[in-house]
Amino acid sequence: MEEQIKKKAARGSICDCKDCVLRELMFIHVPSSGSKYVCKSKVEIKFNKGENIISSGDEIKNMLCIKDGLIKIYNISKNNKEQIISIAKPYDFSYLINIFSNNYYKYNISAIEDSTICFISIDNIKKMVLENGSFAISLLNKLSVASDKIINNFLEINKRNLRGRVAYILLFFSKEIYKSSVFILPVSRKEIAELIDMTTENVIRIMSEFRIEDIIRIHTKEIEIKDFKRLEIIMEKG
Amino acid sequence: MEEQIKKKAARGSICDCKDCVLRELMFIHVPSSGSKYVCKSKVEIKFNKGENIISSGDEIKNMLCIKDGLIKIYNISKNNKEQIISIAKPYDFSYLINIFSNNYYKYNISAIEDSTICFISIDNIKKMVLENGSFAISLLNKLSVASDKIINNFLEINKRNLRGRVAYILLFFSKEIYKSSVFILPVSRKEIAELIDMTTENVIRIMSEFRIEDIIRIHTKEIEIKDFKRLEIIMEKG
DNA sequence: AACAGTTTGTGATACTTATCATAAAACAAA
DNA sequence: TTTGTTTTATGATAAGTATCACAAACTGTT
């Protein structure tokens, strides 16, 4: 990854991303001088679906901001089981989690759709924080929102039975990610299992149940939610 | 709670807590002027074991720092089930989680031992962040560490079976909290269940198993870990 | 088009965990 | 001390979930 960054850094990309969270963090608070550090060091890199972005143990040099696509942040435990911590979408800061608490990435990140990721040097972020209090407040807010989401997600998953979990995650993709009743699942059934803490077989089985109950339509990766009301009831009551 | 703060604020307590995290945040970076906001608004309040400190829905006006004792942060879900998110000990900032992302507390906090809590007005924390970049960096670090711990904890719990979870939590109390092989459990079996996501009966049952297997000694709330090695193996392998 | 490899899908079964019932012990209050 | 209430404890059983086995469908490659 590091080499990729250096290679592409030469291009000298400029801060032109519409609605960029960084823009919001900086330009609102620092209309005149603010962008100097961040724009200078910002690099955009495209990753193909499935490509690795960050590996556990890598040195933390950059903050990541997702311009487009979809990524997953996941842990690999000793017995090689993967636990997906979060799926992050455009304009999420992923991996704010331990950027300020650690020198090395603790978890892994990979693209689950073709994605464009914006890398901003941590050193420059720190300089900005030191020089600009409003930026610091905004950053505290983003960090807070990001961890809050993850913690809330764990609580939501843990209190549900398997049917409730599958309903929860299907509604998550439909409402939060694709904003449509029809969508292409960006992850395998195995990855869904890793995200909601159950086995692959049971994810498949329960999705089949929903299909038989005429709640969803399944065409391999293509899912259509046909009955939101019932799926929501299952999400709430299991 | 609000009335208590006002009542005690009159006393004008001073920043004299040894090893206080706030001291570390402030005085290292701001040797001369730094304490003005925080010390002025800081209030210490004692809570008895079992007392409520923060309720979900309360307006966020203060940051909490635990001077001594032990507290739990927990969520109450719709069906009135409680999920304990974290147990915080002296010099932890509890509830950093959504101080910067929300105007209202999302979770509940109560004392699980007699505790002294330091309240610092959020407004003054924000003033400090705006005026002092090093303080901001330190705060980002503390927030990052706090959420990181919680997220890591969820991952650790979720990947274990019930015996592994009980082993994990007993070792947590012994090593992290009391730093002793003998300790008095500050929580009921029901609360342990809420912390590691299982039923009260199974917590009791598995603790009995450990007793029968001569791994621990139980005298109601008093626990002695007699065989760390075996308990650690159970924690790792279930 | 054919092949190998992976993912999806389904059933049978074993294992884990929750629920229900009931009793003993601990605790709090009169 | 007695009484009532909560917590701890144990067993039996039911429900939920994982594991194993195997087939079908899909994917990428030659």
Side-chain angles (χ1 to χ4, degrees):
Chain A
M1 210 281 298
E2 208 51 39
E3 318 79 57
Q4 281 178 285
I5 289 187
K6 277 175 195 154
K7 218 180 293 170
K8 298 212 184 181
R11 289 195 198 166
S13 57
I14 49 160
C15 286
D16 58 356
C17 321
K18 277 182 203 162
D19 307 319
C20 173
V21 187
L22 276 174
R23 257 186 125 84
E24 184 203 314
L25 279 179
M26 291 187 317
F27 297 134
I28 289 173
H29 306 298
V30 201
S32 54
S33 67
S35 65
K36 59 180 175 180
Y37 294 126
V38 175
C39 274
K40 233 195 307 189
S41 67
K42 169 184 153 289
V43 182
E44 257 182 52
I45 303 185
K46 282 184 188 300
F47 292 90
N48 295 324
K49 180 175 176 130
E51 255 191 291
N52 175 257
I53 300 171
I54 296 286
S55 295
S56 161
D58 287 356
E59 196 179 344
I60 298 180
K61 291 179 181 161
N62 297 286
M63 187 159 93
L64 277 61
C65 183
I66 303 146
K67 193 175 169 190
D68 60 65
L70 213 57
I71 66 168
K72 66 169 179 179
I73 303 169
Y74 62 105
N75 180 237
I76 303 179
S77 66
K78 279 178 194 167
N79 50 349
N80 264 346
K81 289 235 167 176
E82 301 190 1
Q83 299 171 285
I84 298 181
I85 296 163
S86 173
I87 287 183
K89 57 177 195 294
Y91 309 116
D92 278 350
F93 280 110
S94 67
Y95 227 97
L96 278 177
I97 321 168
N98 60 14
I99 267 179
F100 288 95
S101 57
N102 229 312
N103 292 322
Y104 300 94
Y105 286 104
K106 204 166 162 180
Y107 305 119
N108 305 272
I109 303 185
S110 67
I112 56 176
E113 284 182 353
D114 293 350
S115 302
T116 312
I117 312 290
C118 194
F119 291 80
I120 310 102
S121 134
I122 286 284
D123 290 343
N124 290 334
I125 293 286
K126 282 187 179 163
K127 274 184 200 154
M128 288 283 297
V129 169
L130 285 171
E131 290 183 9
N132 188 306
S134 300
F135 179 82
I137 295 274
S138 291
L139 194 59
L140 277 160
N141 172 258
K142 300 289 174 199
L143 174 46
S144 196
V145 168
S147 9
D148 208 30
K149 263 192 190 174
I150 291 172
I151 290 164
N152 183 61
N153 208 253
F154 275 115
L155 294 173
E156 293 296 328
I157 295 296
N158 281 349
K159 72 183 175 202
R160 291 180 160 80
N161 68 6
L162 299 196
R163 277 172 67 90
R165 288 180 196 186
V166 175
Y168 176 83
I169 207 66
L170 290 175
L171 288 166
F172 165 77
F173 280 118
S174 170
K175 293 188 167 181
E176 306 284 315
I177 304 292
Y178 298 110
K179 296 169 200 334
S180 162
S181 62
V182 187
F183 55 89
I184 309 292
L185 269 181
V187 289
S188 67
R189 312 291 197 261
K190 180 164 169 287
E191 287 172 300
I192 292 178
E194 288 162 1
L195 184 53
I196 59 182
D197 199 26
M198 51 191 280
T199 57
T200 310
E201 292 95 322
N202 277 332
V203 170
I204 293 167
R205 209 187 304 278
I206 287 165
M207 281 176 60
S208 294
E209 283 175 23
F210 290 172
R211 177 176 46 71
I212 291 161
E213 294 165 25
D214 211 36
I215 295 168
I216 63 174
R217 184 176 57 76
I218 304 177
H219 191 266
T220 325
K221 296 272 190 192
E222 186 186 319
I223 305 290
E224 178 190 1
I225 297 179
K226 295 171 76 176
D227 194 335
F228 276 93
K229 245 184 196 161
R230 271 203 288 161
L231 199 55
E232 269 154 14
I233 289 167
I234 291 167
M235 178 179 96
E236 292 307 334
K237 306 194 175 166
Chain B
M1 211 279 299
E2 208 51 39
E3 318 78 58
Q4 282 178 283
I5 289 187
K6 279 177 194 153
K7 219 181 290 169
K8 298 213 183 179
R11 288 194 199 165
S13 56
I14 49 160
C15 287
D16 58 355
C17 322
K18 275 182 205 164
D19 308 318
C20 173
V21 187
L22 277 173
R23 254 186 127 85
E24 185 202 315
L25 279 179
M26 292 187 318
F27 296 134
I28 289 173
H29 306 298
V30 202
S32 54
S33 67
S35 66
K36 60 179 176 179
Y37 294 126
V38 174
C39 274
K40 232 195 309 189
S41 66
K42 170 184 153 290
V43 181
E44 258 181 51
I45 302 186
K46 282 183 187 299
F47 292 90
N48 294 324
K49 181 177 175 129
E51 252 190 293
N52 174 256
I53 300 171
I54 296 286
S55 295
S56 161
D58 287 356
E59 197 179 346
I60 298 181
K61 291 181 182 162
N62 297 287
M63 188 159 91
L64 277 63
C65 182
I66 303 146
K67 193 175 170 190
D68 61 64
L70 213 56
I71 66 168
K72 65 169 179 179
I73 304 170
Y74 62 105
N75 180 238
I76 303 179
S77 65
K78 280 178 193 167
N79 51 350
N80 264 345
K81 289 231 168 177
E82 302 191 1
Q83 299 171 284
I84 298 180
I85 297 163
S86 173
I87 286 183
K89 58 178 194 294
Y91 308 115
D92 280 349
F93 279 110
S94 67
Y95 228 94
L96 278 177
I97 323 167
N98 60 15
I99 266 178
F100 287 95
S101 56
N102 230 313
N103 292 321
Y104 300 94
Y105 285 106
K106 205 166 160 178
Y107 305 120
N108 305 273
I109 302 185
S110 67
I112 57 176
E113 282 183 354
D114 293 349
S115 301
T116 312
I117 312 292
C118 193
F119 291 80
I120 311 102
S121 134
I122 286 285
D123 291 342
N124 290 334
I125 293 286
K126 283 186 178 165
K127 273 183 202 157
M128 289 282 298
V129 169
L130 286 172
E131 290 182 10
N132 188 305
S134 300
F135 180 82
I137 295 273
S138 292
L139 194 59
L140 277 160
N141 172 257
K142 299 290 173 198
L143 174 46
S144 196
V145 168
S147 8
D148 209 29
K149 262 192 191 173
I150 291 172
I151 290 164
N152 184 60
N153 208 254
F154 274 115
L155 293 173
E156 292 296 328
I157 295 296
N158 281 349
K159 72 183 176 205
R160 291 179 160 81
N161 67 8
L162 299 196
R163 276 172 67 91
R165 290 181 195 186
V166 174
Y168 176 83
I169 207 66
L170 290 176
L171 287 166
F172 165 77
F173 280 118
S174 170
K175 293 189 167 180
E176 305 285 315
I177 305 291
Y178 298 110
K179 295 168 202 333
S180 162
S181 62
V182 187
F183 56 90
I184 309 291
L185 270 181
V187 290
S188 67
R189 311 293 197 259
K190 180 162 171 285
E191 287 172 300
I192 292 179
E194 288 161 359
L195 185 53
I196 59 183
D197 198 25
M198 50 191 281
T199 57
T200 310
E201 292 95 322
N202 278 332
V203 170
I204 293 166
R205 207 185 308 276
I206 287 166
M207 281 175 61
S208 295
E209 283 175 24
F210 290 170
R211 177 176 45 71
I212 290 161
E213 294 164 25
D214 211 34
I215 295 168
I216 63 173
R217 184 175 56 75
I218 303 177
H219 190 267
T220 325
K221 297 273 188 190
E222 186 184 319
I223 306 290
E224 178 188 4
I225 297 178
K226 295 171 76 177
D227 193 335
F228 276 93
K229 247 185 196 162
R230 272 204 287 161
L231 200 54
E232 269 153 13
I233 290 167
I234 292 167
M235 179 178 96
E236 293 307 335
K237 306 194 175 168

